[in-house]
Amino acid sequence: MQIAETTEALKPYLDTREVLVQDAYDVIVVGGGVAGVGAAVGAAREGAKVLLIEKSVVLGGLATIGLINWYEPLCDGAGTKLIGGVAEELLKLSIRYGFDSLADEWRDERNGVGTRKRYATLFSPMLFAMALDEYLVDHGVRIRLDSLATYPVMDSNRCKGVIVESVSGREFFPAKVVIDSTGDASILHRAGMPTVLGENYLSYVAHGTSYESAKKFVENRNMSQFRPWFTAGSDMNGRGHPEDLPKLHGDNADAVTAFVLRGRKMLFDKLKADDRNSRDVTMLPTMPQFRMIRRMVGEYLFTGQELNVKFPDAIGAAGDFRARDKRFQIPYTCLYHRAFPNLLAAGRIISASEDGWEITRVIPVAVMTGEAAGIAAAMSARSGTSVAEVHLPDLQRKLAASGVLFI
Protein backbone atom coordinates (compact mmCIF):
# COMPACT_ATOMS: atom_id res chain seq x y z
CA MET A 1 0.00 0.00 0.00
CA GLN A 2 1.25 3.50 -0.86
CA ILE A 3 1.84 5.99 1.96
CA ALA A 4 -1.03 8.20 0.80
CA GLU A 5 -3.40 5.24 0.80
CA THR A 6 -2.18 4.18 4.25
CA THR A 7 -2.76 7.66 5.62
CA GLU A 8 -6.25 7.76 4.17
CA ALA A 9 -7.08 4.39 5.72
CA LEU A 10 -5.87 5.58 9.13
CA LYS A 11 -7.92 8.78 9.17
CA PRO A 12 -10.66 7.41 11.42
CA TYR A 13 -8.01 6.48 13.97
CA LEU A 14 -5.82 9.58 13.88
CA ASP A 15 -5.47 11.66 17.04
CA THR A 16 -8.10 14.37 17.19
CA ARG A 17 -7.39 15.62 20.72
CA GLU A 18 -7.37 19.33 21.39
CA VAL A 19 -4.06 20.97 22.07
CA LEU A 20 -3.89 22.54 25.53
CA VAL A 21 -2.17 25.93 25.29
CA GLN A 22 -0.06 26.47 28.40
CA ASP A 23 1.80 29.46 29.85
CA ALA A 24 4.34 31.22 27.66
CA TYR A 25 8.03 31.41 28.61
CA ASP A 26 10.97 33.57 27.70
CA VAL A 27 13.16 30.50 27.36
CA ILE A 28 12.24 26.83 27.06
CA VAL A 29 15.00 24.27 27.54
CA VAL A 30 14.23 20.83 26.12
CA GLY A 31 16.22 18.12 27.85
CA GLY A 32 17.14 17.93 31.52
CA GLY A 33 20.65 16.52 31.29
CA VAL A 34 23.58 18.52 32.64
CA ALA A 35 23.65 20.75 29.54
CA GLY A 36 19.97 21.54 30.01
CA VAL A 37 20.55 22.31 33.68
CA GLY A 38 23.37 24.68 32.73
CA ALA A 39 21.14 26.35 30.13
CA ALA A 40 18.18 26.74 32.48
CA VAL A 41 20.30 28.24 35.25
CA GLY A 42 22.15 30.54 32.85
CA ALA A 43 18.84 31.92 31.55
CA ALA A 44 17.21 32.15 34.99
CA ARG A 45 20.12 34.15 36.40
CA GLU A 46 19.47 36.67 33.64
CA GLY A 47 15.92 37.13 34.89
CA ALA A 48 14.23 35.05 32.20
CA LYS A 49 11.08 33.03 32.82
CA VAL A 50 12.38 29.51 32.17
CA LEU A 51 10.77 26.12 31.64
CA LEU A 52 12.87 22.93 31.61
CA ILE A 53 11.16 19.95 29.96
CA GLU A 54 12.51 16.46 30.66
CA LYS A 55 11.08 13.19 29.31
CA SER A 56 12.19 11.07 32.29
CA VAL A 57 11.49 11.74 35.95
CA VAL A 58 15.13 12.26 36.98
CA LEU A 59 17.40 15.11 35.93
CA GLY A 60 21.04 14.75 34.90
CA GLY A 61 20.84 12.53 31.81
CA LEU A 62 23.85 10.32 31.18
CA ALA A 63 25.51 11.59 34.37
CA THR A 64 22.71 10.21 36.56
CA ILE A 65 20.23 7.80 34.99
CA GLY A 66 22.87 6.94 32.38
CA LEU A 67 25.24 5.94 35.24
CA ILE A 68 28.28 7.61 33.63
CA ASN A 69 29.16 9.15 36.98
CA TRP A 70 32.62 10.50 36.24
CA TYR A 71 32.85 14.28 36.07
CA GLU A 72 35.52 14.71 33.42
CA PRO A 73 38.44 17.12 34.01
CA LEU A 74 38.00 20.86 34.32
CA CYS A 75 41.76 21.24 33.84
CA ASP A 76 44.39 20.67 31.16
CA GLY A 77 46.13 17.87 33.05
CA ALA A 78 49.16 20.08 33.61
CA GLY A 79 47.95 22.03 36.63
CA THR A 80 45.84 24.72 34.97
CA LYS A 81 42.10 25.05 35.47
CA LEU A 82 40.27 25.69 32.20
CA ILE A 83 36.59 25.48 33.10
CA GLY A 84 34.69 27.42 35.76
CA GLY A 85 31.22 28.91 35.96
CA VAL A 86 28.19 26.66 36.31
CA ALA A 87 30.27 23.67 35.15
CA GLU A 88 32.46 24.01 38.24
CA GLU A 89 29.43 24.66 40.44
CA LEU A 90 27.92 21.38 39.27
CA LEU A 91 31.14 19.44 39.92
CA LYS A 92 31.08 20.69 43.50
CA LEU A 93 27.35 19.99 43.75
CA SER A 94 27.85 16.44 42.47
CA ILE A 95 29.99 15.58 45.52
CA ARG A 96 28.43 17.86 48.16
CA TYR A 97 26.17 15.13 49.56
CA GLY A 98 27.94 11.98 48.41
CA PHE A 99 31.30 10.35 47.84
CA ASP A 100 34.05 11.66 45.58
CA SER A 101 37.48 10.79 44.22
CA LEU A 102 38.70 14.39 43.89
CA ALA A 103 42.44 14.93 44.32
CA ASP A 104 43.38 16.93 47.42
CA GLU A 105 45.30 19.37 45.23
CA TRP A 106 42.00 20.64 43.84
CA ARG A 107 40.36 21.13 47.23
CA ASP A 108 42.37 24.02 48.62
CA GLU A 109 43.50 27.52 47.71
CA ARG A 110 46.29 26.20 45.48
CA ASN A 111 43.54 25.23 43.04
CA GLY A 112 45.64 22.50 41.52
CA VAL A 113 48.44 24.75 40.30
CA GLY A 114 51.28 22.66 38.91
CA THR A 115 49.76 19.25 39.69
CA ARG A 116 49.45 16.46 37.16
CA LYS A 117 46.37 15.18 38.93
CA ARG A 118 43.13 15.93 37.12
CA TYR A 119 40.37 18.20 38.36
CA ALA A 120 37.85 15.38 37.97
CA THR A 121 35.85 13.12 40.24
CA LEU A 122 33.52 10.20 40.60
CA PHE A 123 30.21 11.02 42.27
CA SER A 124 26.96 9.47 43.46
CA PRO A 125 24.59 9.72 40.49
CA MET A 126 21.41 9.53 42.56
CA LEU A 127 22.48 12.08 45.17
CA PHE A 128 23.58 14.37 42.34
CA ALA A 129 20.17 13.97 40.68
CA MET A 130 18.38 14.99 43.87
CA ALA A 131 20.73 17.94 44.33
CA LEU A 132 19.91 19.09 40.79
CA ASP A 133 16.21 19.28 41.70
CA GLU A 134 17.00 21.64 44.55
CA TYR A 135 19.52 23.63 42.51
CA LEU A 136 17.01 24.38 39.75
CA VAL A 137 14.13 25.14 42.10
CA ASP A 138 16.34 27.56 44.03
CA HIS A 139 17.02 29.37 40.75
CA GLY A 140 13.32 29.73 39.98
CA VAL A 141 13.31 27.34 37.03
CA ARG A 142 9.99 25.61 36.38
CA ILE A 143 10.59 21.89 35.90
CA ARG A 144 8.27 19.66 33.89
CA LEU A 145 9.08 15.94 34.21
CA ASP A 146 7.61 12.90 32.46
CA SER A 147 6.92 15.14 29.48
CA LEU A 148 8.16 14.47 25.96
CA ALA A 149 8.67 17.50 23.75
CA THR A 150 7.80 16.01 20.39
CA TYR A 151 7.84 18.84 17.85
CA PRO A 152 8.72 22.50 17.56
CA VAL A 153 5.94 24.69 16.18
CA MET A 154 7.53 26.65 13.36
CA ASP A 155 6.50 29.84 11.59
CA SER A 156 8.89 29.75 8.68
CA ASN A 157 12.25 29.33 10.47
CA ARG A 158 11.12 30.92 13.74
CA CYS A 159 10.09 28.59 16.55
CA LYS A 160 6.88 29.62 18.32
CA GLY A 161 7.21 26.99 21.03
CA VAL A 162 7.04 23.22 21.48
CA ILE A 163 4.40 20.50 21.46
CA VAL A 164 4.60 18.27 24.52
CA GLU A 165 2.98 14.90 25.25
CA SER A 166 2.32 13.97 28.87
CA VAL A 167 -0.31 12.46 31.10
CA SER A 168 -1.99 15.89 30.85
CA GLY A 169 -2.53 15.34 27.13
CA ARG A 170 -1.13 17.15 24.13
CA GLU A 171 0.14 20.59 25.15
CA PHE A 172 1.68 23.62 23.50
CA PHE A 173 4.19 25.75 25.40
CA PRO A 174 4.93 29.09 23.68
CA ALA A 175 8.44 30.54 23.97
CA LYS A 176 10.52 33.43 22.74
CA VAL A 177 13.66 31.25 22.51
CA VAL A 178 14.05 27.46 22.58
CA ILE A 179 17.23 25.64 23.55
CA ASP A 180 17.67 22.05 22.38
CA SER A 181 19.67 20.07 24.93
CA THR A 182 18.08 16.72 24.13
CA GLY A 183 21.32 14.91 23.34
CA ASP A 184 19.94 13.87 19.94
CA ALA A 185 19.08 17.29 18.45
CA SER A 186 15.51 16.11 17.90
CA ILE A 187 14.00 19.59 18.23
CA LEU A 188 16.51 21.23 15.89
CA HIS A 189 16.23 18.37 13.40
CA ARG A 190 12.44 18.57 13.33
CA ALA A 191 12.64 22.34 12.98
CA GLY A 192 14.47 21.82 9.69
CA MET A 193 17.96 22.75 10.83
CA PRO A 194 20.72 20.79 9.09
CA THR A 195 22.03 17.97 11.27
CA VAL A 196 24.49 15.09 11.05
CA LEU A 197 24.21 11.60 12.54
CA GLY A 198 26.96 10.18 14.74
CA GLU A 199 28.24 6.63 14.96
CA ASN A 200 28.47 4.63 18.17
CA TYR A 201 30.11 1.47 19.37
CA LEU A 202 27.98 -0.83 21.52
CA SER A 203 28.91 -0.33 25.16
CA TYR A 204 26.91 -0.91 28.30
CA VAL A 205 27.58 0.25 31.85
CA ALA A 206 25.71 -0.78 34.98
CA HIS A 207 26.59 -0.29 38.64
CA GLY A 208 27.13 -3.13 41.07
CA THR A 209 28.92 -4.33 44.14
CA SER A 210 30.86 -7.43 45.12
CA TYR A 211 32.89 -9.03 47.89
CA GLU A 212 35.97 -7.41 46.37
CA SER A 213 34.52 -3.91 46.26
CA ALA A 214 33.11 -4.30 49.78
CA LYS A 215 36.56 -5.28 51.03
CA LYS A 216 38.09 -2.19 49.42
CA PHE A 217 35.43 0.00 51.00
CA VAL A 218 36.10 -1.45 54.46
CA GLU A 219 39.84 -0.91 54.00
CA ASN A 220 39.78 2.70 52.80
CA ARG A 221 36.23 3.95 53.52
CA ASN A 222 35.93 5.22 49.94
CA MET A 223 32.34 4.72 48.81
CA SER A 224 33.31 5.24 45.16
CA GLN A 225 34.91 1.79 45.23
CA PHE A 226 31.79 0.19 46.68
CA ARG A 227 29.77 0.66 43.49
CA PRO A 228 32.13 -0.01 40.56
CA TRP A 229 31.06 -0.02 36.93
CA PHE A 230 30.03 -3.39 35.50
CA THR A 231 30.75 -3.10 31.78
CA ALA A 232 30.10 -5.02 28.60
CA GLY A 233 30.85 -4.38 24.96
CA SER A 234 33.16 -1.76 23.57
CA ASP A 235 35.54 0.67 25.16
CA MET A 236 35.67 4.25 23.88
CA ASN A 237 37.92 3.23 20.97
CA GLY A 238 35.86 0.31 19.71
CA ARG A 239 37.69 -2.55 21.38
CA GLY A 240 35.05 -5.11 22.29
CA HIS A 241 32.43 -3.96 19.80
CA PRO A 242 30.64 -7.03 18.36
CA GLU A 243 32.25 -7.97 15.06
CA ASP A 244 28.91 -8.68 13.40
CA LEU A 245 27.41 -5.31 14.33
CA PRO A 246 27.81 -2.09 12.30
CA LYS A 247 28.26 1.15 14.20
CA LEU A 248 24.98 2.49 15.53
CA HIS A 249 23.24 5.85 15.15
CA GLY A 250 20.50 5.77 17.78
CA ASP A 251 18.13 8.00 15.81
CA ASN A 252 15.09 5.69 15.84
CA ALA A 253 13.27 3.55 18.37
CA ASP A 254 14.27 0.23 16.80
CA ALA A 255 17.97 1.15 16.94
CA VAL A 256 17.67 2.32 20.55
CA THR A 257 15.86 -0.88 21.54
CA ALA A 258 18.45 -3.08 19.83
CA PHE A 259 21.31 -1.15 21.45
CA VAL A 260 19.87 -1.48 24.95
CA LEU A 261 18.73 -5.10 24.71
CA ARG A 262 21.96 -6.37 23.20
CA GLY A 263 24.14 -4.42 25.62
CA ARG A 264 22.14 -5.66 28.59
CA LYS A 265 22.32 -9.25 27.32
CA MET A 266 26.10 -8.99 26.91
CA LEU A 267 26.44 -7.88 30.51
CA PHE A 268 24.00 -10.53 31.73
CA ASP A 269 25.94 -13.25 29.92
CA LYS A 270 29.14 -12.09 31.63
CA LEU A 271 27.53 -12.06 35.06
CA LYS A 272 25.97 -15.52 34.66
CA ALA A 273 29.44 -17.02 34.91
CA ASP A 274 30.06 -15.49 38.36
CA ASP A 275 29.26 -16.97 41.75
CA ARG A 276 25.74 -15.63 42.26
CA ASN A 277 26.46 -14.89 45.92
CA SER A 278 29.62 -12.91 45.21
CA ARG A 279 28.15 -9.83 43.52
CA ASP A 280 25.00 -7.91 42.78
CA VAL A 281 23.91 -5.42 40.16
CA THR A 282 22.66 -2.43 42.12
CA MET A 283 21.42 -0.34 39.21
CA LEU A 284 20.86 -0.59 35.46
CA PRO A 285 20.93 2.51 33.25
CA THR A 286 17.47 3.80 32.44
CA MET A 287 18.47 5.57 29.24
CA PRO A 288 20.50 4.43 26.21
CA GLN A 289 24.19 5.19 26.68
CA PHE A 290 24.93 6.50 23.18
CA ARG A 291 27.82 8.94 23.07
CA MET A 292 27.00 10.76 19.85
CA ILE A 293 23.55 10.47 18.27
CA ARG A 294 22.97 13.58 16.17
CA ARG A 295 24.39 17.10 16.16
CA MET A 296 23.55 20.35 14.44
CA VAL A 297 25.42 22.08 11.63
CA GLY A 298 26.07 25.59 12.91
CA GLU A 299 27.83 28.72 11.78
CA TYR A 300 31.17 27.22 12.80
CA LEU A 301 32.18 23.56 12.92
CA PHE A 302 34.57 22.82 15.79
CA THR A 303 36.84 19.92 14.77
CA GLY A 304 39.29 19.71 17.67
CA GLN A 305 42.13 20.91 15.46
CA GLU A 306 41.86 24.42 16.91
CA LEU A 307 44.60 23.95 19.51
CA ASN A 308 45.36 27.30 21.19
CA VAL A 309 43.22 29.20 18.65
CA LYS A 310 41.67 32.38 20.07
CA PHE A 311 38.11 33.01 18.90
CA PRO A 312 36.65 36.53 19.11
CA ASP A 313 33.30 34.98 20.04
CA ALA A 314 34.69 32.47 22.58
CA ILE A 315 32.26 31.33 25.28
CA GLY A 316 34.87 29.53 27.36
CA ALA A 317 37.85 27.19 27.33
CA ALA A 318 38.13 23.43 27.40
CA GLY A 319 40.71 20.69 27.49
CA ASP A 320 40.65 17.21 26.01
CA PHE A 321 39.75 14.64 28.64
CA ARG A 322 41.69 12.01 26.67
CA ALA A 323 45.01 13.91 26.70
CA ARG A 324 47.06 16.39 28.71
CA ASP A 325 48.29 19.92 28.10
CA LYS A 326 45.75 20.80 25.41
CA ARG A 327 43.70 23.98 25.45
CA PHE A 328 40.84 25.04 23.23
CA GLN A 329 38.31 27.82 23.07
CA ILE A 330 34.73 27.03 22.08
CA PRO A 331 33.12 29.69 19.83
CA TYR A 332 29.56 30.87 20.25
CA THR A 333 28.97 30.21 16.54
CA CYS A 334 28.90 26.46 17.35
CA LEU A 335 25.59 26.99 19.18
CA TYR A 336 23.34 28.37 16.43
CA HIS A 337 22.47 28.45 12.75
CA ARG A 338 21.85 31.96 11.47
CA ALA A 339 18.76 30.94 9.48
CA PHE A 340 16.95 29.97 12.72
CA PRO A 341 16.73 33.18 14.76
CA ASN A 342 15.49 31.82 18.09
CA LEU A 343 16.92 28.30 18.33
CA LEU A 344 20.08 27.33 20.21
CA ALA A 345 21.93 24.10 20.89
CA ALA A 346 23.58 23.01 24.13
CA GLY A 347 25.70 20.04 25.11
CA ARG A 348 26.75 17.15 22.90
CA ILE A 349 24.65 18.31 19.93
CA ILE A 350 26.51 21.56 19.20
CA SER A 351 28.26 22.04 15.86
CA ALA A 352 31.34 19.86 16.37
CA SER A 353 32.82 16.92 14.49
CA GLU A 354 35.65 14.41 14.72
CA ASP A 355 37.83 15.13 17.78
CA GLY A 356 35.79 18.26 18.36
CA TRP A 357 32.72 16.13 19.06
CA GLU A 358 34.69 14.04 21.55
CA ILE A 359 35.92 17.17 23.33
CA THR A 360 32.54 18.87 23.58
CA ARG A 361 30.27 15.91 24.42
CA VAL A 362 31.50 15.40 28.02
CA ILE A 363 29.93 16.78 31.21
CA PRO A 364 31.93 19.97 31.92
CA VAL A 365 31.97 21.22 28.34
CA ALA A 366 28.30 20.33 27.90
CA VAL A 367 27.43 22.39 30.99
CA MET A 368 29.62 25.26 29.78
CA THR A 369 27.88 25.41 26.39
CA GLY A 370 24.57 25.11 28.20
CA GLU A 371 25.30 28.09 30.42
CA ALA A 372 26.34 30.18 27.40
CA ALA A 373 23.22 29.16 25.48
CA GLY A 374 21.03 30.03 28.46
CA ILE A 375 22.51 33.49 28.93
CA ALA A 376 22.36 34.18 25.18
CA ALA A 377 18.75 32.98 25.03
CA ALA A 378 17.74 35.31 27.86
CA MET A 379 19.51 38.22 26.17
CA SER A 380 17.77 37.45 22.88
CA ALA A 381 14.36 37.11 24.53
CA ARG A 382 14.78 40.40 26.37
CA SER A 383 16.05 42.43 23.41
CA GLY A 384 14.02 40.80 20.64
CA THR A 385 17.15 40.25 18.57
CA SER A 386 18.05 36.94 16.98
CA VAL A 387 20.43 34.62 18.82
CA ALA A 388 23.03 35.42 16.17
CA GLU A 389 22.84 39.12 17.02
CA VAL A 390 23.22 39.09 20.80
CA HIS A 391 25.88 41.53 21.95
CA LEU A 392 28.97 39.32 22.25
CA PRO A 393 30.95 41.55 24.65
CA ASP A 394 27.97 41.51 27.03
CA LEU A 395 27.62 37.74 26.72
CA GLN A 396 31.32 37.23 27.41
CA ARG A 397 31.25 39.67 30.32
CA LYS A 398 28.33 37.81 31.90
CA LEU A 399 30.10 34.48 31.43
CA ALA A 400 33.29 35.82 32.98
CA ALA A 401 31.30 37.16 35.95
CA SER A 402 29.98 33.62 36.45
CA GLY A 403 33.53 32.28 36.62
CA VAL A 404 33.91 31.04 33.04
CA LEU A 405 37.53 31.12 31.85
CA PHE A 406 38.80 32.08 28.39
CA ILE A 407 42.35 30.72 28.53
Side-chain angles (χ1 to χ4, degrees):
M1 183 181 289
Q2 299 297 315
I3 292 176
E5 294 173 358
T6 303
T7 304
E8 185 66 28
L10 288 174
K11 273 186 177 180
Y13 308 101
L14 293 179
D15 198 337
T16 58
R17 292 172 298 159
E18 292 184 358
V19 177
L20 306 172
V21 179
Q22 302 287 16
D23 289 345
Y25 289 83
D26 296 321
V27 177
I28 288 180
V29 180
V30 182
V34 291
V37 171
V41 168
R45 286 179 174 173
E46 283 299 301
K49 182 182 179 183
V50 183
L51 173 66
L52 177 63
I53 301 171
E54 166 55 33
K55 65 183 179 180
S56 76
V57 295
V58 177
L59 299 171
L62 278 171
T64 57
I65 59 175
L67 301 185
I68 310 301
N69 62 319
W70 183 55
Y71 211 113
E72 289 90 351
L74 276 65
C75 67
D76 64 357
T80 299
K81 185 173 80 171
L82 298 178
I83 301 177
V86 173
E88 187 172 26
E89 290 179 31
L90 290 191
L91 181 145
K92 293 177 179 178
L93 184 66
S94 74
I95 61 177
R96 184 177 300 166
Y97 307 104
F99 63 79
D100 69 80
S101 59
L102 188 64
D104 288 340
E105 287 83 349
W106 290 102
R107 296 179 192 271
D108 59 26
E109 66 278 358
R110 289 178 296 164
N111 209 23
V113 173
T115 184
R116 298 286 289 177
K117 295 179 180 178
R118 306 302 291 263
Y119 191 5
T121 186
L122 292 167
F123 57 87
S124 166
M126 296 299 97
L127 284 166
F128 185 33
M130 289 187 282
L132 290 175
D133 292 346
E134 185 175 72
Y135 184 70
L136 286 167
V137 169
D138 287 349
H139 278 90
V141 175
R142 185 190 173 194
I143 304 168
R144 176 61 97 82
L145 301 176
D146 196 25
S147 299
L148 178 63
T150 54
Y151 280 91
V153 175
M154 304 299 294
D155 180 3
S156 186
N157 279 4
R158 176 171 287 276
C159 183
K160 309 298 286 185
V162 292
I163 297 290
V164 172
E165 292 283 353
S166 74
V167 69
S168 300
R170 180 186 292 173
E171 305 167 283
F172 172 62
F173 288 90
K176 294 179 181 177
V177 181
V178 173
I179 301 172
D180 186 333
S181 58
T182 58
D184 60 9
S186 56
I187 296 299
L188 301 183
H189 177 67
R190 290 166 183 167
M193 189 178 292
T195 57
V196 173
L197 288 174
E199 293 185 328
N200 296 268
Y201 298 114
L202 177 62
S203 58
Y204 191 83
V205 177
H207 286 192
T209 192
S210 65
Y211 284 154
E212 182 181 350
S213 61
K215 181 180 178 182
K216 288 180 180 178
F217 171 63
V218 170
E219 290 172 351
N220 58 31
R221 309 293 292 178
N222 189 333
M223 183 61 73
S224 67
Q225 295 182 0
F226 192 59
R227 52 177 301 156
W229 291 11
F230 286 5
T231 63
S234 171
D235 65 11
M236 196 173 63
N237 299 309
R239 290 185 292 267
H241 181 76
E243 293 182 1
D244 65 322
L245 189 66
K247 291 182 183 178
L248 303 155
H249 299 303
D251 62 324
N252 64 74
D254 287 338
V256 171
T257 301
F259 181 93
V260 172
L261 288 179
R262 184 154 183 181
R264 199 152 61 207
K265 184 180 186 305
M266 290 171 69
L267 178 60
F268 193 31
D269 287 344
K270 283 179 65 175
L271 294 172
K272 286 176 183 177
D274 295 340
D275 174 2
R276 66 185 180 87
N277 292 306
S278 69
R279 83 295 179 259
D280 188 28
V281 175
T282 55
M283 190 167 184
L284 296 173
T286 55
M287 66 175 288
Q289 296 163 318
F290 290 105
R291 292 184 173 93
M292 296 176 284
I293 300 173
R294 185 195 287 118
R295 52 91 175 169
M296 65 171 288
V297 176
E299 295 300 301
Y300 182 83
L301 182 65
F302 180 74
T303 66
Q305 302 304 306
E306 298 89 342
L307 193 65
N308 299 319
V309 172
K310 302 294 185 183
F311 289 98
D313 64 333
I315 53 170
D320 186 337
F321 75 102
R322 305 165 301 172
R324 294 182 181 272
D325 207 20
K326 291 189 174 184
R327 303 173 190 86
F328 304 89
Q329 285 189 339
I330 308 300
Y332 177 57
T333 38
C334 289
L335 274 57
Y336 68 87
H337 189 294
R338 188 172 295 274
F340 297 81
N342 67 333
L343 290 174
L344 283 161
R348 57 182 171 144
I349 68 166
I350 70 168
S351 185
S353 68
E354 303 171 49
D355 281 344
W357 205 344
E358 292 283 0
I359 291 166
T360 57
R361 70 174 176 81
V362 297
I363 293 175
V365 191
V367 179
M368 182 183 73
T369 59
E371 181 180 13
I375 294 173
M379 293 172 65
S380 172
R382 184 168 55 242
S383 66
T385 59
S386 76
V387 294
E389 295 170 338
V390 299
H391 193 245
L392 276 170
D394 279 350
L395 173 60
Q396 291 169 326
R397 177 180 56 79
K398 293 173 186 294
L399 286 166
S402 175
V404 172
L405 303 173
F406 295 86
I407 293 173

